[in-house]
Amino acid sequence: MWQVRKVNRINKPIPKLIFCVLLTSVLLPRSFAQNVDDLVLRTQSSISEGNPTLTLQLAEQLEPFLEQGVNSESLVSIASVLSDAFASTNQRGSAARYLQLAADNALVLEQPSAAQIELLQDISSQFRSLGIRSQSISLLSEAVRLAESAGEARGVVPLLEEIATLEAELGNLQESQRNYGAALDALPI
């Protein structure tokens, strides 16, 4: 004989795993962005306060967000902050690795060119502060290419001057002179 059992689902708790999946599927996009933004701000604050222990703890919490499938813009932001965090704690290798990740993603951003040029310039400055001048020059050269293709002659001049300065710091005087000459040629008349 078949027995019909009455199941009282109202009083029966939802298994924790299913509840977590349901909750995260509803709240994840907003929660994810809030968590990332909060960690980025807290990490930047810790860096500026000079608290290396807290900075590294926050960086460890921020690192997993790189693998969450975020867009390139968020990835640039997270990677840049991680680079700053590791640079502030004298971990240059990790700082350079995250900075390279930021640079790679900045190159594929679909932003207006002026914003992308500025971002490349910022990342270039970070590479320069780490003493990685060749990567700094490479990013500035890409920024020059973008500025030229956008017809922004004024934007090209400071980029070429910065490349010339970096080339001089590396002892590449002929290349430095060539870039200074190109900067002069790019000046509007």
Side-chain angles (χ1 to χ4, degrees):
M1 289 262 143
W2 295 96
Q3 281 188 334
V4 177
R5 292 180 14 192
K6 185 176 178 182
V7 177
N8 187 356
R9 293 189 185 262
I10 296 174
N11 293 331
K12 196 170 192 174
I14 299 173
K16 286 181 183 179
L17 180 60
I18 294 172
F19 177 74
C20 289
V21 169
L22 289 172
L23 184 64
T24 56
S25 68
V26 171
L27 299 177
L28 183 61
R30 186 174 1 155
S31 173
F32 176 81
Q34 288 171 338
N35 287 339
V36 170
D37 291 345
D38 179 54
L39 276 173
V40 164
L41 291 174
R42 289 175 52 208
T43 305
Q44 289 171 329
S45 176
S46 176
I47 292 167
S48 65
E49 292 170 2
N51 187 339
T53 304
L54 180 60
T55 297
L56 288 176
Q57 289 172 349
L58 291 168
E60 285 178 14
Q61 292 175 30
L62 194 54
E63 283 176 312
F65 286 103
L66 288 174
E67 300 168 7
Q68 299 288 327
V70 294
N71 60 31
S72 290
E73 188 175 324
S74 295
L75 213 129
V76 168
S77 175
I78 294 168
S80 292
V81 169
L82 285 170
S83 176
D84 289 344
F86 286 109
S88 74
T89 58
N90 295 320
Q91 296 183 32
R92 292 172 39 100
S94 294
R97 182 170 44 103
Y98 284 116
L99 195 53
Q100 185 61 53
L101 180 63
D104 292 343
N105 282 279
L107 290 170
V108 296
L109 286 178
E110 294 180 20
Q111 291 184 353
S113 60
Q116 192 174 19
I117 291 166
E118 186 178 330
L119 181 59
L120 290 173
Q121 217 172 352
D122 290 345
I123 295 172
S124 170
S125 293
Q126 290 177 297
F127 270 116
R128 186 177 187 178
S129 71
L130 290 173
I132 307 173
R133 288 175 181 83
S134 59
Q135 187 61 19
S136 182
I137 291 169
S138 176
L139 289 173
L140 288 171
S141 297
E142 184 63 26
V144 166
R145 187 190 66 72
L146 288 172
E148 287 174 341
S149 69
E152 297 183 27
R154 287 185 188 157
V156 171
V157 174
L159 296 169
L160 288 169
E161 288 174 337
E162 195 169 342
I163 292 171
T165 301
L166 287 164
E167 290 288 2
E169 289 174 3
L170 289 172
N172 302 332
L173 299 181
Q174 285 183 326
E175 195 62 28
S176 176
Q177 287 176 338
R178 188 184 71 72
N179 282 294
Y180 275 125
L184 286 173
D185 292 341
L187 284 172
I189 298 175

